[in-house]
Amino acid sequence: MAESTGRLVMVSNRLGRAVAPGGLALVLSEALRTTGGMWFGWDGEAGDGPSGHARTMRIADGVEHVGMTLSDADRAGYYDGYSNAVLWPACHGQSGLMQYREADYRAYQRVNLQFARALLGRLRPHDSVWVHDFHLIPLAAALRSLGALQPIGFFLHTPFPTPRSLRRIPEHRSLLAQLKAYDRIGVQTQRDRAALAQCGVDPGRVFVAGVTIDVVKAGRLARSRAANVAVKHYLPEAPDRGLILGGDRADYSKGLDVRLLAVEQLLEGRPDLHRRFELLQICAPTRTGVAHYGDLPPRLRFTAQRINRRFGSKDWQPVRLVFEALPRDIALGLMHHADVGLVTPRRDGMNLVAMEFITAQCRRSPGVLVLSREAGIAERLGEAIRVNPHPPDIADGLERALAMNAAQRQLRHVASLASLSDHTPSAWVRQLSAALREAADPATERRAVASAS
């Protein structure tokens, strides 16, 4: 961007490297590659030192990556505590899992102020600032309190809580007031826009702009020779055995336990499908320091073992679990070979894994996506087999997917791919930039008032 028009500044909880499928790091890295600018976030390290020290970590593709330090204590309260033990479950309809501590809320507010102080000195007068996700709701108010005059937008990559879930958060009124400090607020679905309106946020300041991936790049990676060689040991040994693929973080919001129960119900009701497929579920470790995450892998292993004992044989195990984060090219290569993609979160923002599955498919013989209605992308992918995230409905969706003939699969795939190709990371960034341009007059007025005083 030219100096006269300022840079695009993206702020997220953490700087990321987009190597695994899906996720905010992938979105921001692909979006910034089209514009240049600055990406500001926690550097990913924590220790005994103080929070708030920022340094340029690298400059790549015209993007300056600036990382900020966090102490162990601040990380535990702000990230493990308030962000992931209170806000995350509230956003995903799991408010019963919230673990609230007032000290964590204080850490959340303190770290947001540290973000503001570290960022402010690096901002230029004509920059546009986009703050991403629930970790940083107070950041605009903190920046304004320090004198920042740049236009500041907020984009939420999770669902917005229902009014009932929001009210379960003790400080929900303060959080809403801080959210209103942003010039514009972006969400992924009309459902989220309506939820914000129900909570008293002016709908005129909220816009819908679902994030997306670079379809061409993802398709190229999926069909690369290296990816297809690397995935061979993950594929079923029997060439006529179908592959059902799930690729998720090991997060309770993804509904992995429900997914396994659905496979069990399918095998109970359809003995003729025994030995006809394998479910390969990738479970990437996540938030290992947060309660309710550590007990998920053992529960999944127990359920998978039970299913395999009930229905498996010496040369066929219906469920395989892989507890590691696969490199993105390998994950996409697996999607390329999969007959069914299983994406069934209890509640989700957009869900980029569903997009990647569609993009990665073989054009001549595509697989079928079984998709939860509670994923934001379900509004766009009408040709997927959309299900409620409950075992009977998922089992029915799997049965339909496995029975679908080649002509039906191709028709659905062409329509789904077309709906994704109409959206690009650069188009998403243009939406964000246009939204803040519409809010430029208030920002200009702030500068005029500040100059006069």
Side-chain angles (χ1 to χ4, degrees):
M1 282 190 176
E3 180 70 23
S4 61
T5 58
R7 303 166 301 171
L8 178 64
V9 177
M10 296 286 200
V11 188
S12 63
N13 163 63
R14 183 172 177 174
L15 296 177
R17 292 178 175 85
V19 295
L24 178 57
L26 174 62
V27 172
L28 294 188
S29 61
E30 291 187 344
L32 278 169
R33 194 176 296 118
T34 69
T35 63
M38 182 170 71
W39 185 357
F40 187 99
W42 170 41
D43 64 10
E45 302 294 330
D48 296 332
S51 301
H53 175 70
R55 63 186 177 92
T56 298
M57 303 185 71
R58 64 187 183 279
I59 298 176
D61 299 320
V63 180
E64 181 185 11
H65 295 71
V66 180
M68 189 191 83
T69 58
L70 275 184
S71 69
D72 280 329
D74 280 343
R75 179 192 184 278
Y78 148 79
Y79 181 75
D80 293 342
Y82 200 76
S83 292
N84 286 312
V86 176
L87 297 181
W88 178 267
C91 288
H92 290 84
Q94 300 291 316
S95 55
L97 298 181
M98 290 194 311
Q99 293 192 325
Y100 173 82
R101 295 194 321 148
E102 186 178 350
D104 292 342
Y105 174 69
R106 291 196 300 269
Y108 178 76
Q109 295 291 337
R110 181 173 63 250
V111 169
N112 269 268
L113 182 57
Q114 291 162 345
F115 261 83
R117 287 171 175 160
L119 175 62
L120 184 66
R122 291 175 175 265
L123 291 179
R124 301 171 187 170
H126 296 285
D127 286 345
S128 296
V129 182
W130 273 102
V131 177
H132 293 271
D133 238 354
F134 56 96
H135 314 83
L136 300 172
I137 290 173
L139 185 54
L143 283 167
R144 297 290 183 230
S145 73
L146 297 173
L149 301 174
Q150 291 83 357
I152 308 174
F154 178 80
F155 198 92
L156 183 64
H157 293 261
T158 67
F160 190 79
T162 63
R164 182 178 180 181
S165 291
L166 187 68
R167 287 193 295 270
R168 295 284 299 274
I169 302 173
E171 303 86 7
H172 67 275
R173 290 186 179 87
S174 295
L175 291 174
L176 279 173
Q178 290 172 327
L179 191 60
K180 292 173 184 178
Y182 288 94
D183 296 305
R184 296 301 301 273
I185 300 168
V187 293
Q188 308 242 42
T189 67
Q190 294 293 344
R191 172 191 66 190
D192 299 320
R193 189 169 186 263
L196 275 162
Q198 286 180 288
C199 294
V201 178
D202 177 10
R205 299 172 59 208
V206 182
F207 67 100
V208 177
V211 300
T212 191
I213 61 171
D214 186 328
V215 170
V216 174
K217 179 181 178 182
R220 191 184 303 123
L221 279 173
R223 291 180 282 276
S224 69
R225 183 177 181 277
N228 281 273
V229 169
V231 302
K232 285 185 178 178
H233 74 280
Y234 291 102
L235 302 177
E237 292 185 6
D240 60 342
R241 189 169 293 157
L243 174 64
I244 301 173
L245 179 67
D248 307 84
R249 291 179 294 106
D251 188 302
Y252 56 77
S253 70
K254 302 301 181 183
L256 304 185
D257 49 349
V258 174
R259 193 175 301 178
L260 297 187
L261 295 177
V263 170
E264 186 173 33
Q265 288 194 13
L266 179 63
L267 293 171
E268 285 174 346
R270 291 290 304 274
D272 57 309
L273 291 179
H274 292 193
R275 308 175 66 85
R276 294 276 304 279
F277 70 84
E278 292 178 12
L279 168 65
L280 174 63
Q281 177 61 58
I282 309 300
C283 309
T286 185
R287 299 184 178 102
T288 53
V290 182
H292 302 301
Y293 285 84
D295 64 341
L296 181 59
R299 287 194 289 111
L300 295 176
R301 288 191 182 96
F302 178 82
T303 303
Q305 289 167 0
R306 185 187 71 232
I307 294 170
N308 289 335
R309 283 197 301 267
R310 286 188 65 191
F311 302 104
S313 59
K314 186 176 181 180
D315 61 345
W316 173 60
Q317 297 291 288
V319 178
R320 287 186 293 157
L321 302 179
V322 176
F323 289 94
E324 62 179 298
L326 299 183
R328 190 171 183 235
D329 60 340
I330 295 179
L332 287 165
L334 280 170
M335 294 177 190
H336 180 67
H337 289 277
D339 299 279
V340 179
L342 195 51
V343 182
T344 53
R346 288 184 167 91
R347 185 172 169 85
D348 212 346
M350 185 53 58
N351 197 293
L352 303 185
V353 173
M355 298 185 193
E356 291 182 318
F357 180 83
I358 295 296
T359 302
Q361 286 304 294
C362 173
R363 304 291 192 266
R364 294 185 302 276
S365 181
V368 182
L369 178 63
V370 177
L371 178 65
S372 169
R373 297 180 189 276
E374 295 300 318
I377 191 62
E379 289 186 359
R380 194 187 304 173
L381 291 178
E383 297 303 319
I385 295 179
R386 292 182 289 185
V387 298
N388 294 317
H390 307 295
D393 219 27
I394 296 172
D396 179 68
L398 285 172
E399 188 173 357
R400 291 167 57 198
L402 291 167
M404 196 171 293
N405 64 41
Q408 292 172 316
R409 287 187 277 113
Q410 285 180 326
L411 284 173
R412 285 175 178 262
H413 177 69
V414 169
S416 295
L417 189 61
S419 72
L420 296 184
S421 299
D422 290 341
H423 299 76
T424 65
S426 57
W428 179 68
V429 169
R430 287 196 297 272
Q431 281 183 281
L432 269 57
S433 298
L436 275 190
R437 280 198 302 272
E438 293 173 5
D441 286 343
T444 302
E445 290 171 10
R446 284 195 296 271
R447 292 191 187 97
V449 170
S451 299
S453 59

